[in-house]
Amino acid sequence: MIPTIAQDQVDRIVHNHHHNPFEVLGPHLVLQQDGETTWAIRAYLPSASAAWAIFPEERLEVPMVSVHHPHFFECIITRHEIANYQLRIQEGEHERVLYDPYAFRSPLVTDFDIHLFCEGNHHRIYEKLGAHLTEIEGVSGVYFAVWAPNARNVSVLGDFNYWDGRKHQMRKMDGGVWDLFIPGVKAGDPYKFEIKNWEGHIYEKSDPYGFQQEVRPKTASIVANLDHYQWSDNDWMDKRRHTAPLEQPVSVYEVHLGSWLHENFAFPGTHYDGTPAESVSVAELKPGTRFLTYKELADRLIPYVKEMGFTHVELLPVAEHPFDGSWGYQVIGYYAVTSRYGTPQDFMYFVDQCHQNGIGVIVDWVPGHFPKDGHGLAGFDGTCLYEHADPRKGEHKEWGTLIFNYGRNEVRNFLVANALFWFDKYHIDGIRVDAVASMLYLDYCRKDGEWLPNQYGGRENIEAADFLRQTNHLLFSYYPGVLSIAEESTAWPMVSWPTYVGGLGFNLKWNMGWMHDILDYFSMDPWFRQFHQNNVTFSIWYAFSENFMLALSHDEIVHGKSNMLGKVPGDEWQKFANLRCLYAYMFTHPGKKTLFMSMEFGQWSEWNVWGDLEWHLLQYEPHQKLKQFVTDLNQLYRNEPCLYTQDCRQEGFEWIDCSDNNHSVVSFVRWDKDYKDFVVVVCNFTPQPHSHYRVGVPKLGFYREVLNSDSRKYGGSNMGNLGGKWAEEWWFHDRPYSIDLCLPPLGVLVLKLDHAATAAASAEGDF
C-alpha cells in the first residue's frame, strides 16, 4: 500500500510535535471520483504490534499497516462516510478494542466560548474547560480542554493510556485552548495534562479546572460529575434570594474541618456533646485516627452548631491543597473540593444538611496567591501564565507563594468563574476573601525597590481592585442574598460599598481595627483600663463607614498569640469573667459576628491544626458554663432585632455614656429598624462591682434584665438587679429618665423595656 501521508507529518506525531494531530490522525478523505469515496484511517499506537479498523454494524474488519514508523498505522477503505468505527489493537499477547478519539473532530468548546474567555467574561468557563463526562455520536467518554497558550504540545495522561503522553495528543485551538475527546474514560479515572514547552521540557500538571483531585501525596485530577446530586434545599435557596443579609442576624462559627474532631479520638471524661467517654489520662490521637468525612461532619458538626445557635458555619478553605499545615490557604485545585474528607457529592450533602437545619455555609476563598508546587498553576505551560513573570509583582516572598496576574483576562476569568462556581455547584451562601490587603497594594510586605508602581506611580493594584469589583458585581447579580466578606486590614475606602458608587462591592468587611483594639484592652490588667477607654469606644467613630463584621478568628490564637483564656489577666475566675465580658460586648456592638472554634468553651492551648480541640475540658464546670453563655448570647442576638437589623446604620446605635473611664464603664442603646424596640447595654470592664450606678434611658417603664454575664449559671458571682429595675423620672445622661443599677464585676448587663409589665403598672396607677 502506498502511504497517503508524508514522512515528516508522521515524525511530528511520533515525536509529539504536532499542534493539531487531527490533521494527521483519524479518518481523512483521500479520493472522491465516480461516486466512490476513499478514506484513509490513521492511528499512532505506540505499544501496538498490529491494528485493525472495525466497523461493528457491518461486521467488517480492515487490517492496518505500518507506514513510516513501526507504530504508525494506516488503512484505506472505500465507503460513503466513516462513523463510529473502532480500533482493535494487538499489544504483545493482549488485545483490546476502543474507539478512535481522532474520529470525533467537532470541539465542544466553541469560538464564542473562546471569545468570551479571552475577554474575561465567560462566567461558566468551568463547564467548558477541564474534564467533562459527555456523549458524542452515541459514544460515552470525557471531553478534555485546557488553556496553555505557550505550550508546544499538550497531551492527556491517565490510567487509560498508561500515563503515556504519546497516545492522546491534544489539538490547539484559537486562544491557546487545547482539547480532545477520549471515548471510554469514566468518572473516577485519574488524569493529568502533559505539557511540553518549546525547549522540550515536560511538565505534568493537574487540571486547573478539575472538579476532584487524588488524596495527598498523590496529585492527579479525577474525572467527576457534579450534576447528579439531588438537592433538597429549595426552600432555603428561595428564601435566601429574597433576604437582605445585612438586616439579618449573622453569627458565624469558623471551623477547620480537619482539626475540629477526628474519628477514633479519645476524650477523658466527656465527649464534645457532653456524653461520657472512656477514662484516659490525656486526650490523645489513637492509632488509626482519621479525619471525619463530610457526611460524618454533617452528623456531628451541624447538630453542635445548631445547638450553639450560630446562624452560619465558615469553613477554612476546602478547595484542594497539598499541605495540611497550610490550613487550606495554599490552594492547588481551585475547582476541586478537597478529597481529604470525601467526594464532591459528600460535600454537597454537608451543605444540603446545613441548609435543612437552618445554617448557612461560608467558604474561605483564596484568590490572592497560590503555591509553587510543580503539579499546580506555577509555570503552567512552561511560562509564567497565571502569575507575573517579574517577581516584584508576582511573588509573595513572605509566604513563598505566587500572585495571580489580575490584568490578564483569562486569569481573571479563571478566578471570577471560580467564585461563581462554588455558589452554582455547591450552593454555598457566602465567601470570605482571604488577604484582600495583599491584593490591593503593590508594596504589601515589600521593601523599597522590591515592588513596581502602577501606571500612575502609585502603590494601589488597580487590576486587583477591578477584579474584585467584577467578582462581587457578578456574584450579587447571579446570587442575591449571599455574603461576600473581605478580610481587609487597611483603610482602603469603600470596601463594602456597591460597585456602582466606586466601592469594591463586598457586603461585609472584617473589622480588624476593633479586633486589635479590644484584644489589647482585655489583655491589660483591669486597673490600667481606665487609661485606655479609647480602645473600647474608638470603633464607633468608624463603625458605619463600612458594613463590618466583628471577628475573633483563627489568626488570633496561633503562632504564640495564646488562646482566648491566655490573653486575659487574672485568676481562673477572672479569666472566664473577662471572656464573658468580651463576648457580650462583641455581640451587642454593631456588626455581624464570627468566633473561631474552641473559643466558645475556653480552650487553654493554641489551636493545633494537627490535633483536635480540647473537648475533654467540657467535663469541667467553668468550660461548660462558658459554652452555655455563648449559646445564650446567640439566642439573645437572634431574638432581638435591635441587635442586628441596624448593624450598618448609625441610627441603630446611641451612646448613653462612653466617658466614664474612671470606672471603665460604657453604656449604650441599640435600636431596631422601626425605632420601636431597643435594648440598653451597660458594661463594667473591671472586677470592681458598682452599686447604685445610674444610667439614663430612653423611656419610662420596667427594664427587664435579659442578660447578665455575671449570672451564677455562667459561673459568675451572681450580682445583679433581681431580674430588672424600674426607670425613674430622674434626669441623667441628658435623658429625662434613668435607672439605678448594680453593676456586677467584669460584667455586661443587657436590659429591655418590658412593655407588658409597664402597661400593667400604668393601668393600675402604680406608674
Side-chain angles (χ1 to χ4, degrees):
M1 187 187 79
I2 300 175
T4 64
I5 187 76
Q7 173 79 51
D8 66 316
Q9 290 284 76
V10 172
D11 289 343
R12 290 177 67 190
I13 293 293
V14 169
H15 295 100
N16 201 352
H17 286 167
H18 208 299
H19 74 284
N20 185 4
F22 284 89
E23 293 180 356
V24 176
L25 302 176
H28 291 267
L29 179 66
V30 294
L31 184 63
Q32 189 169 11
Q33 60 182 16
D34 300 330
E36 296 290 337
T37 303
T38 302
W39 297 84
I41 297 177
R42 309 187 193 110
Y44 176 48
L45 306 168
S47 55
S49 56
W52 295 262
I54 301 175
F55 298 87
E57 295 179 0
E58 303 172 29
R59 298 184 179 179
L60 177 64
E61 189 172 285
V62 181
M64 305 180 77
V65 298
S66 299
V67 294
H68 301 309
H69 188 276
H71 300 302
F72 192 96
F73 296 89
E74 183 181 56
C75 69
I76 305 298
I77 186 169
T78 300
R79 57 193 296 121
H80 290 296
E81 61 181 17
I82 299 290
N84 285 358
Y85 69 88
Q86 295 173 300
L87 300 175
R88 180 163 68 91
I89 303 170
Q90 180 77 42
E91 297 172 324
E93 298 180 356
H94 303 282
E95 282 191 0
R96 57 193 180 114
V97 176
L98 48 80
Y99 285 98
D100 184 1
Y102 299 100
F104 303 88
R105 311 181 73 83
S106 299
L108 299 186
V109 176
T110 66
D111 291 340
F112 187 53
D113 290 324
I114 292 174
H115 170 75
L116 290 176
F117 177 58
C118 290
E119 70 175 19
N121 287 320
H122 199 310
H123 304 155
R124 297 184 183 272
I125 190 62
Y126 50 86
E127 295 181 346
K128 296 293 184 173
L129 299 186
H132 298 279
L133 291 157
T134 189
E135 185 177 291
I136 300 178
E137 298 174 13
V139 178
S140 298
V142 173
Y143 181 76
F144 295 92
V146 63
W147 179 58
N150 303 307
R152 179 171 182 172
N153 299 91
V154 181
S155 300
V156 183
L157 304 174
D159 290 341
F160 43 82
N161 61 21
Y162 305 106
W163 300 88
D164 187 339
R166 299 172 297 172
K167 294 185 176 181
H168 288 114
Q169 302 174 36
M170 303 181 78
R171 162 181 56 192
K172 188 176 185 180
M173 306 167 66
D174 291 341
V177 173
W178 300 74
D179 83 318
L180 183 66
F181 172 71
I182 306 180
V185 179
K186 58 189 182 302
D189 286 349
Y191 70 97
K192 280 188 176 183
F193 294 114
E194 179 186 273
I195 297 176
K196 183 185 293 184
N197 70 5
W198 288 91
E199 287 75 38
H201 299 147
I202 293 176
Y203 308 88
E204 292 186 2
K205 296 287 189 177
S206 57
D207 184 358
Y209 291 88
F211 294 152
Q212 189 176 1
Q213 284 194 12
E214 292 180 311
V215 179
R216 71 222 181 309
K218 295 182 178 181
T219 57
S221 299
I222 298 174
V223 176
N225 189 334
L226 302 187
D227 297 325
H228 284 174
Y229 182 82
Q230 297 296 315
W231 289 90
S232 302
D233 63 348
N234 290 340
D235 291 345
W236 171 276
M237 299 293 282
D238 184 65
K239 181 180 178 181
R240 190 184 73 182
R241 280 190 292 271
H242 300 94
T243 297
L246 296 185
E247 296 180 2
Q248 301 300 314
V250 178
S251 176
V252 181
Y253 186 61
E254 187 187 21
V255 179
H256 177 261
L257 294 179
S259 57
W260 183 75
L261 181 68
H262 287 84
E263 179 64 16
N264 203 22
F265 183 76
F267 299 88
T270 182
H271 284 297
Y272 75 94
D273 59 0
T275 60
E278 68 267 30
S279 178
V280 292
S281 58
V282 293
E284 59 183 5
L285 292 179
K286 292 182 175 180
T289 296
R290 61 166 176 80
F291 292 133
L292 295 178
T293 66
Y294 293 118
K295 287 190 173 182
E296 290 170 334
L297 285 160
D299 294 338
R300 302 191 189 189
L301 176 60
I302 292 174
Y304 181 80
V305 173
K306 187 175 182 179
E307 173 206 348
M308 293 293 300
F310 291 98
T311 64
H312 292 71
V313 59
E314 178 185 329
L315 309 178
L316 270 63
V318 291
E320 194 58 79
H321 51 283
F323 178 49
D324 292 355
S326 76
W327 310 341
Y329 289 101
Q330 296 203 3
V331 176
I332 286 290
Y334 275 81
Y335 287 84
V337 65
T338 180
S339 298
R340 286 169 174 79
Y341 318 119
T343 67
Q345 287 72 25
D346 292 341
F347 184 63
M348 292 175 185
Y349 174 83
F350 175 84
V351 176
D352 201 356
Q353 290 299 306
C354 282
H355 289 172
Q356 292 181 50
N357 283 276
I359 299 169
V361 179
I362 300 168
V363 171
D364 281 14
W365 187 52
V366 192
H369 61 117
F370 60 93
K372 300 177 181 178
D373 296 65
H375 65 285
L377 298 176
F380 186 78
D381 64 355
T383 68
C384 293
L385 185 64
Y386 285 87
E387 69 272 30
H388 292 276
D390 192 325
R392 292 175 294 177
K393 291 188 71 175
E395 184 176 1
H396 275 309
K397 291 185 178 180
E398 182 183 32
W399 299 335
T401 55
L402 301 173
I403 302 172
F404 285 103
N405 183 351
Y406 306 108
R408 186 161 194 165
N409 289 344
E410 299 89 344
V411 175
R412 191 174 67 253
N413 201 145
F414 169 81
L415 290 170
V416 170
N418 182 243
L420 300 174
F421 162 84
W422 288 94
F423 291 88
D424 176 22
K425 298 299 184 182
Y426 288 108
H427 289 202
I428 68 168
D429 304 286
I431 53 174
R432 190 216 63 143
V433 184
D434 179 63
V436 171
S438 73
M439 302 167 62
L440 292 175
Y441 295 96
L442 297 166
D443 62 345
Y444 185 85
C445 288
R446 290 185 175 90
K447 301 177 183 177
D448 290 344
E450 294 181 351
W451 61 281
L452 295 176
N454 60 35
Q455 62 265 42
Y456 304 109
R459 58 196 283 256
E460 298 81 12
N461 191 333
I462 298 172
E463 295 164 345
D466 288 343
F467 153 68
L468 292 171
R469 291 189 184 99
Q470 181 186 7
T471 301
N472 286 319
H473 171 74
L474 292 171
L475 184 60
F476 295 122
S477 298
Y478 281 113
Y479 305 104
V482 301
L483 295 171
S484 180
I485 307 163
E487 185 212 2
E488 205 285 317
S489 55
T490 73
W492 186 284
M494 300 191 298
V495 171
S496 59
W497 290 34
T499 56
Y500 57 79
V501 296
L504 293 183
F506 294 93
N507 56 2
L508 283 171
K509 170 184 172 176
W510 272 16
N511 194 334
M512 307 295 279
W514 172 87
M515 182 270 296
H516 287 296
D517 284 347
I518 207 67
L519 290 183
D520 286 347
Y521 183 81
F522 272 90
S523 67
M524 300 175 192
D525 183 287
W527 188 85
F528 292 101
R529 292 176 184 174
Q530 61 185 305
F531 307 113
H532 298 274
Q533 186 92 339
N534 190 56
N535 283 45
V536 175
T537 61
F538 180 67
S539 59
I540 299 300
W541 283 98
Y542 60 86
F544 309 103
S545 61
E546 300 275 5
N547 304 327
F548 279 119
M549 172 171 279
L550 311 182
L552 297 175
S553 75
H554 63 279
D555 280 326
E556 309 317 314
I557 56 171
V558 291
H559 304 321
K561 297 178 184 176
S562 177
N563 212 310
M564 297 303 294
L565 278 175
K567 293 178 185 293
V568 293
D571 57 21
E572 182 178 287
W573 187 94
Q574 289 195 13
K575 283 180 178 293
F576 279 94
N578 266 302
L579 216 49
R580 293 193 302 271
C581 193
L582 167 57
Y583 291 165
Y585 180 63
M586 173 184 179
F587 272 74
T588 54
H589 187 288
K592 308 308 181 185
K593 328 296 178 187
T594 293
L595 276 181
F596 185 59
M597 63 183 196
S598 80
M599 293 182 181
E600 75 276 15
F601 63 83
Q603 179 165 307
W604 288 99
S605 300
E606 288 186 342
W607 170 49
N608 175 15
V609 70
W610 307 108
D612 280 282
L613 303 188
E614 295 178 339
W615 295 110
H616 64 281
L617 292 175
L618 285 173
Q619 67 185 303
Y620 303 113
E621 191 174 90
H623 299 275
Q624 295 173 8
K625 291 185 173 182
L626 179 61
K627 178 173 173 283
Q628 183 61 52
F629 178 69
V630 175
T631 301
D632 289 354
L633 261 184
N634 271 318
Q635 183 178 1
L636 173 70
Y637 172 64
R638 297 176 69 161
N639 290 342
E640 296 294 343
C642 47
L643 291 177
Y644 61 79
T645 53
Q646 296 210 88
D647 269 328
C648 305
R649 299 182 61 189
Q650 189 164 356
E651 293 83 356
F653 179 89
E654 180 184 355
W655 281 120
I656 296 174
D657 184 12
C658 61
S659 60
D660 188 6
N661 61 296
N662 289 331
H663 295 99
S664 296
V665 172
V666 297
S667 51
F668 53 90
V669 180
R670 295 293 309 275
W671 292 92
D672 72 355
K673 189 177 180 181
D674 298 322
Y675 304 101
K676 294 180 179 178
D677 209 358
F678 63 93
V679 294
V680 172
V681 182
V682 187
C683 308
N684 176 16
F685 296 122
T686 74
Q688 175 64 48
H690 302 294
S691 60
H692 301 294
Y693 191 94
R694 188 162 291 276
V695 175
V697 293
K699 296 182 180 181
L700 198 60
F702 181 73
Y703 284 78
R704 183 166 48 88
E705 199 174 72
V706 295
L707 181 79
N708 180 350
S709 69
D710 190 51
S711 170
R712 180 181 291 112
K713 69 176 180 177
Y714 305 134
S717 63
N718 211 38
M719 294 188 67
N721 298 276
L722 300 177
K725 280 291 188 74
W726 287 95
E728 303 171 275
E729 293 189 52
W730 185 324
W731 188 279
F732 209 77
H733 288 144
D734 204 29
R735 288 169 174 79
Y737 315 112
S738 61
I739 50 178
D740 182 12
L741 296 173
C742 173
L743 302 189
L746 292 170
V748 174
L749 300 177
V750 180
L751 303 116
K752 182 178 181 180
L753 184 64
D754 190 326
H755 296 284
T758 302
S762 179
E764 294 177 7
D766 296 333
F767 175 68

